[in-house]
Amino acid sequence: ESWLRLRIVCSDFRNLDFVIWCSEESAVSCVKDLLEVLETKAHTKINYSARLVRQLNANTTEDSKHLAGTKSRPYGVYDFETEFKRQKALGSKHWRVTNINEDYGLCETYPSKLMVPSSSRDSLLQETAKYRSKSRLPVLTWYDSTTGASISRCAQPKVGLSRNNSEADQAHVSNIRLTAATESAPSPSEGNTPGTWKEGKAGQDEG
């Protein structure tokens, strides 16, 4: 018998290491059984690394084919809708999908679809992007549907020596903060007061 090491990198920054004692012939089966147990307990689908898939592809058994995935998505490649459905952000009253970056004209280093607070309009997002380095405005990357906690990524604000600020950016960040509520709590439009921003002098723009 020999041993193999399996590391699982979690979305909350924890790393789980498993040392499995098994024969070389049963290695793939051992990994498969372990991952199936973990997926059942976590109620989610594990995305296998390309390295693991390459190792398993060396074995032509049905077990390795199962872990390799389908031909269309062989390595569990990131998919926007699948990921946010898994997190239950897609369909939440607090978050929405925007196609404002569909042609990558807003931010060339961001995906074409972005998850943002429901109370942040596209006009607000455009102004917010102007205030962030490389137009990398705050967008959702991780969401806990139970507590409403979230993690949003963004670049540094363009404060500069003159200490510039942006009302649009402040309103958008405030909208993100207001999403930190459970699904049973009122949405921003039903009870909470979203961050406000005046577009020119035309009046108030939600979020």
Side-chain angles (χ1 to χ4, degrees), residues 85-97:
K85 279 182 180 179
R86 182 188 69 81
Q87 296 183 25
K88 298 182 180 178
L90 194 61
S92 166
K93 59 190 175 184
H94 297 291
W95 298 92
R96 71 178 181 91
V97 178

Side-chain angles (χ1 to χ4, degrees), residues 34-45:
L34 175 60
L35 294 178
E36 284 184 348
V37 170
L38 293 174
E39 287 180 345
T40 301
K41 294 294 184 182
H43 303 287
T44 188
K45 186 71 176 175

